Amino acid sequence: MRQLNRLNQYQRLWQPSSGAPQQVTVSELASRCFCSERHIRTLLRQAQEAGWLSWHAQSGRGKRGELTFHVTPESLRNGMMEEALKSGQQHNALELAQLAPQALRALLHPFLGGHWQNDTPTLRIPYYRPLEPLKPGFLPGRAEQHLVGHVFSGLTRFHGNSSEPTGDLAHHWEVSSEGLRWHFYIRSTLHWHNGDKVETDQLRASLVALFTLPALRQLFNSVQHIEVTHPQCLTFVLHQPDYWLAHRLASYGSRLVHPEQPFTGSGPFRLTVFEPDLVRLESHEQYHLSHPLLKAIEYWITPQLFEQGLGTSCRHPVQIAIGEPDELASLRLVSNSTSLGFCYLTLKQSPTLSEIQARRLINIIHRTTLLHTLPLEEGLITPTQELLPGWQIPQWPEVSDIPLPEKLTLVYHLPVELHTMANQLQHYLAQQGCQLTVVFHDAKTWDGCQKLADADIMMGDRLIGEAPEYTLEQWLRCDALWPHLLSAPQLAHLQATLDAVQTQSDEHARQAGLKAIFTRLMESAVLTPLFNYQYQISAPPGVNGIRLNTRGWFDFTEAWLPAPKS
C-alpha cells in the first residue's frame, strides 16, 4: 500500500528530532529511510508538495540542509484513515492502523462506534478474533450464530426475546388436525440479496440440502418429505407429529441460503465483505420485514486491542467502542443480564464411577467453596443451582463417607474459564485421594473430539437461544456428547421420550415433559449446571436502540444513530 509506505518513511524522517527542525544531509536522510539519495529527494519533494514538511537544501555535496515538519505522523495517519473510510476503502484504513496496542487504541478510537460516512449511518465493532465462515447448519461461535440470523432468513423466526416463533419467509402456517401436515404460506414479495425474486422451489431445494447435514437430519427426523403444494405454499409431511417444528425452523441453524449461491441470503443485511481482518454487512433494500435503521455494520478484526492468551473466551463483552483508559468514562453500560446459557458438568457412570460416587462429586462442586472461589474476573460468572429458572438441582444427603475412585479422567472444551474450573476440581479431588487426569479439547463443541470415549467427566457450555426449553431439546437430539455419555439402551430411551414429548400440541405440556427429562438426568447424577455468564454491552453516547438479546448480542436492525449536527 503506497500510502502506508509514505507514512512509514515520513515517520523515519520525523523520529530523530520528534518533529523539531533538523540540520541534516541528503545522505543521512537516505540512510535513515533505507533508499538511494535520488529516491529521498523524490520523497522530500512529494512531501513538501503535500504540505507535510519544508526542505531547504544547501548547494554542494555533503552540505546540511534544513528540514522543517508541518504535521505530526499521528495527524497524518488520522487524515489518511479518514479519507480511506470516506472512500469506502476499509482495508486501507486497517492497514494504516497497524500499530502497537496502546497506540492503536488511541488511533482507532475516533473511527469506532457509530458514524455517518458519506451520509451513511455505519456502526463499527472491534472484535477480538477472526470470524468463521457463515454456512448453513450449526455453528459453534456465538458471534457467527448472531450474524447468520441477520444475513439469512428462515421460514419462521424468533422476534426479540419471545420464545414463540413467528412468521419470516412464511407469513403464517397451518397444521392438520393429526399434526402430520404443516402448510407454510410463503410471502409473495421476497428477494434474495442479489435482487432475484425468491421462488418457493428454491426454498424447498435449500431445505432438502440442509437436511442432508447429519445434525440437521437428527433434528428434523420426523419430516418424511417436503412438497410445493402451491407456488406460495410449502407443505411438510411428517411420519410422526412434531409440535416443535416451527421452533426448529426458527433456529439459526435452519436459516436458508440461495441453493446456487451459498453466501446469498434474504435477511435484513447482506454480506459484502468477509475477510480475515474485516467483515461488512449492508442493509438489504428489498427486505420483507422492518428495514434496518443502520446502513452498514463492520467488524474490524483487531485482536491486538484485546488481552492476549484468552482464546475464544466469553470474557469479552460486546464492545462497540474503545479508547484510552481516561476516555472509557464516555462509554455507558447500555445493557447487562445473566445469561440463561450455562457451563455444565456431566458424569459417565460405569464400573469406574458409580451413581453414589457421582453424587458425591456433585456435592463437592455445589456444597463447597469450589465454584465461589474460582480465580476469575469479578462479575464474569454467577454460580448456579438451576439448569433453567425453576429447574433446580436435586438436594442429596451428605455422602462424604463414600470413597471416590482412585483415578478419573476429565475432558473439557472451551470456553477458557473451564481451564480454571478443571484446575480447581483437580485440586479438590486430590485432597480426597482421587487423581484427576485433565484433557483439554481445543474447540467450542464436542465435534471431532477423540477423547470422549475415555472420559469419566465432561465439561462444556450450552448456549441458550430465544426459546430456552426448545434449545435444550435440540441439545439432547443433536450434541455429540450424549452417545458417549449414555449407554445404548439409555440413549434409545431418551430419544423415544423426546419423540413422545414432541407429539404434545400444548406448549406447556411439552415444556413440562422436557423438564421431567432433565430432572431425571440431574437426579441420576448424569448432569449438573456450574455457572452462568454475565453478558454486557457498553456503547459510546449517540449509539441508540441497543438491547441485549439472549445470545449476549443486540439486534442490528434496531440500532440507530442520531443525525449528524450541521
Side-chain angles (χ1 to χ4, degrees), residues 72-132:
T72 66
E74 291 76 14
S75 63
L76 197 56
R77 189 185 299 264
N78 275 341
M80 288 180 173
M81 284 184 66
E82 190 165 2
E83 287 303 312
L85 291 171
K86 284 181 178 179
S87 59
Q89 299 173 340
Q90 290 87 351
H91 284 295
N92 288 350
L94 284 169
E95 280 193 46
L96 286 163
Q98 293 176 1
L99 293 174
Q102 286 303 111
L104 184 57
R105 284 188 180 92
L107 186 62
L108 286 185
H109 180 67
F111 303 106
L112 296 172
H115 291 274
W116 287 77
Q117 295 289 341
N118 294 334
D119 296 325
T120 298
T122 302
L123 187 63
R124 297 193 179 96
I125 302 172
Y127 206 61
Y128 68 98
R129 63 171 175 85
L131 294 169
E132 297 294 326

Side-chain angles (χ1 to χ4, degrees), residues 431-448:
Q431 294 177 338
Q432 307 299 320
C434 175
Q435 178 184 338
L436 183 66
T437 299
V438 172
V439 179
F440 173 51
H441 176 55
D442 191 7
K444 299 176 187 175
T445 70
W446 294 117
D447 294 341

